[in-house]
Amino acid sequence: ANDIWSATSLTSAPSPRTEFPAVWMGTFTGDTGEVVIWGGVKGGGATATGGRYCAVPQADLSMVKADSADPVNASSNFSYTLAVSNAGPSTAQSLTVTDTLPAGVGYVSATGSGWFCGELAGTVTCTRSSLAVGAAPAITITVTAPAAPTTLSNTASVSATTADPAAANNSEGESTTVVDPVADLSVTLIDAPDPVVGLGNLFYTITATNAGPSAASGVSVGHTLPAGVTFSSLTAGGWTCTTGVGTVTC
């Protein structure tokens, strides 16, 4: 049968064993440790035929990436979320996350609890000193989409100084479609009173509505007064309006 004993020193073999092999069954402290094995020769006598074995810490890191919206409007802000996890068995040391932004994408910010993030020449880098087994707080990278429709392909990666036994899951890409904004505008016109007496005051109420899905920019509303109607005044909250001969433009 195998002979089992507790840890011993490197210079002194345990007492003679009568069976071969003899195996040390100890526990490591923390992420590193060592095993000392002395091989015994059947029939007695202690012989240093074994060796010294060191435990190497390993941390299986992984990256999951997602975009906040897809599709996104050209020239609008959106974000990437980077989720880093450590499946162990050891604590990962000196982590670095890198994300090189696609051409035409503008950097806005990068944040994550416990991460130290910055951007240089279109590459976002976030670091943290260590990550125990489990998930790290997510990193959020906020960016501005290009001004023209396109398809963005973006990949983020994580690494550490600790050995990774399965590095294939350390990177993940995300595809995002950039589209031109679409805004479904409509306008309604109401007059009051109706009928109106000659030379009496007549009020027009114009309401502009955007049914989306995108925000509308550079909106203009024009109204041409009927023949014989004279402009008097207007109120328009949030609008900048001008008047011409028989016309109102806001």
Side-chain angles (χ1 to χ4, degrees), residues 44-74:
T47 306
T49 58
R52 175 183 180 181
Y53 299 86
C54 294
V56 177
Q58 293 185 328
D60 181 11
L61 298 177
S62 62
M63 166 69 72
V64 176
K65 183 171 188 175
D67 51 11
S68 61
D70 192 356
V72 297
N73 290 332

Side-chain angles (χ1 to χ4, degrees), residues 6 14 31-32 46-47 101 107 126 136 175 178 181 190 212 231:
S6 299
D31 290 328
T32 61
T47 306
L101 302 178
Y107 172 78
C126 297
S175 178
V178 180
I190 300 175
F231 173 80

Side-chain angles (χ1 to χ4, degrees), residues 3 10 19-21 26 41 47 58 60-61 63 74 82-83 94 98 108 110 113 136 142 150 203 207 212 220 238:
D3 204 0
L10 294 178
E19 295 292 337
F20 178 86
V41 179
T47 306
Q58 293 185 328
D60 181 11
L61 298 177
M63 166 69 72
L82 281 53
S94 301
T98 57
V108 177
S113 178
T142 302
T150 187
F203 299 92
T207 302
S220 177

